[in-house]
């Protein structure tokens, strides 16, 4: 009798664990996706080692935010339209890898960079100086990338700096942008007209981002189809300055539950 009760109790525990895992998987699949920042293309909004959850329901269902077997048979359903200034995770239109950038151009917009300044629909997007972004010149994250510096060359352990400005998009949303190069490759572009059903993305670290300014043939993302959007990044959960997320002694104390703006 005791053995039977013990076996029954064990089976109940196993069932509970299985149900909990199944619920967690469904919750992750439908609503949120963890994302870790591997590169410096979104500094200083997002740093290498930031760990966040992406809100997959921000824009509704798509084939990338929800498996077909769990989505309505109608396919994509827009809960709300993406807004200019959102920080968005999306699938690269060619290789399918996950990218995170800021949404700059909506369908029908014209986008151009002139002298490092953004122009939307022919109007200059204002920037105001916002000091300097500084960091130690050293290998960062598991990939061991070294930061690019406006004050290069910088030796190991030196202070790497980039000019910072506050950019104000139409509608009043603001965010920081960084500058590394004068007259860099992406500082002067042709006029891009965003097609219907597509979006134009840029990194906040403007001279260190392969984004919609660059064609897919040279590693950029070009215009991103709406169906490739995965979700919106709303809040950083925690951030590690070390080579692993699990090195808790390297976690940045000022980035716990920090809003993504």
């Amino acid at each position: 009798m005791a053995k039977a009760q013990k076996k029954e109790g064990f089976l109940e525990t196993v069932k509970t664990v299985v149900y909990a895992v199944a619920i967690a998987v469904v919750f992750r699949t439908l609503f949120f996706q963890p994302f870790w920042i591997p590169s410096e293309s979104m500094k200083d909004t997002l740093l290498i080692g930031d760990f966040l959850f992406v809100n997959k329901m921000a824009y509704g269902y798509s084939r990338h935010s929800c498996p077909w077997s769990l989505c309505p048979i109608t396919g994509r359903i827009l809960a709300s339209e993406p807004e200019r200034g959102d920080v968005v995770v999306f699938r690269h239109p060619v290789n399918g890898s996950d990218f995170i950038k800021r949404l700059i151009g909506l369908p029908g917009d014209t986008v151009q960079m002139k002298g490092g300044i953004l122009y939307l629909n022919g109007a200059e997007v204002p920037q105001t100086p916002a000091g300097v972004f500084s960091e130690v010149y050293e290998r960062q994250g598991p990939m061991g990338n070294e930061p690019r510096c406006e004050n290069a060359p910088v030796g190991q352990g030196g202070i790497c700096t980039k000019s910072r400005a506050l950019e104000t998009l139409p509608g009043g949303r603001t965010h920081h942008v960084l500058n590394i190069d004068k007259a860099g490759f992406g500082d002067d572009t042709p006029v891009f007209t965003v097609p219907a059903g597509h979006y134009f993305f840029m990194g906040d670290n403007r001279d260190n981002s392969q984004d919609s300014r660059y064609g897919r043939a040279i590693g950029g993302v070009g215009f991103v189809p709406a169906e490739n959007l995965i979700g919106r990044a709303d809040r950083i959960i925690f951030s590690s300055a070390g080579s692993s997320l699990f090195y808790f002694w390297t976690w940045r104390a000022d980035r716990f539950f920090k809003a993504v703006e």
Side-chain angles (χ1 to χ4, degrees), residues 160-180:
C160 170
T161 64
K162 302 172 180 64
S163 298
R164 179 168 55 195
L166 186 69
E167 186 171 79
T168 303
L169 295 171
R173 294 182 69 172
T174 62
H175 59 275
H176 284 149
V177 294
L178 303 182
N179 181 75
I180 301 171

Side-chain angles (χ1 to χ4, degrees), residues 102-171:
R102 190 176 297 277
L103 176 54
I104 297 296
L106 302 173
D109 282 347
T110 63
V111 183
Q112 185 179 22
M113 292 290 291
K114 293 194 291 186
I117 301 297
L118 173 64
Y119 285 75
L120 279 172
N121 299 315
E124 179 180 338
V125 176
Q127 290 185 4
T128 55
V132 172
F133 174 71
S134 301
E135 59 187 333
V136 177
Y137 185 80
E138 60 186 358
R139 295 187 178 278
Q140 299 179 348
M143 298 172 65
N145 295 332
E146 294 171 331
R148 293 185 60 210
C149 314
E150 188 177 21
N151 63 329
V154 177
Q156 286 290 325
I159 300 300
C160 170
T161 64
K162 302 172 180 64
S163 298
R164 179 168 55 195
L166 186 69
E167 186 171 79
T168 303
L169 295 171

Side-chain angles (χ1 to χ4, degrees), residues 34-37 47-52 141-142 238-252:
F35 192 86
W36 171 78
I37 304 300
L47 304 181
I48 293 176
D50 283 351
F51 182 83
L52 48 86
F238 68 91
S239 180
S240 172
S243 59
S244 171
L245 291 177
F246 301 105
Y247 294 169
F248 63 87
W249 56 91
T250 68
W251 289 2
R252 300 175 175 108

Side-chain angles (χ1 to χ4, degrees), residues 6-132:
K6 187 175 182 180
K7 183 178 180 180
E8 184 177 342
F10 175 75
L11 290 176
E12 286 300 318
T13 300
V14 170
K15 285 166 62 176
T16 300
V17 171
V18 169
Y19 291 152
V21 170
I23 291 170
V25 169
V26 171
F27 187 81
R28 175 197 180 281
T29 301
L30 288 176
F31 303 110
F32 296 97
Q33 175 175 319
F35 192 86
W36 171 78
I37 304 300
S39 74
E40 63 175 323
S41 69
M42 281 295 293
K43 287 179 179 176
D44 65 346
T45 303
L46 298 173
L47 304 181
I48 293 176
D50 283 351
F51 182 83
L52 48 86
F53 280 101
V54 177
N55 181 356
K56 299 176 72 173
M57 297 304 296
Y59 311 129
Y61 294 110
S62 77
R63 67 185 180 90
H64 294 303
S65 65
C66 176
W68 286 113
S69 61
L70 295 175
C71 288
I73 59 173
T74 50
R76 184 173 182 84
I77 296 178
L78 286 178
S80 63
E81 290 288 344
E83 296 182 4
R84 186 183 287 111
D86 286 355
V87 176
V88 179
V89 173
F90 58 89
R91 293 269 192 264
H92 191 288
V94 176
N95 61 35
S97 57
D98 290 352
F99 273 49
I100 186 166
K101 306 288 182 188
R102 190 176 297 277
L103 176 54
I104 297 296
L106 302 173
D109 282 347
T110 63
V111 183
Q112 185 179 22
M113 292 290 291
K114 293 194 291 186
I117 301 297
L118 173 64
Y119 285 75
L120 279 172
N121 299 315
E124 179 180 338
V125 176
Q127 290 185 4
T128 55
V132 172

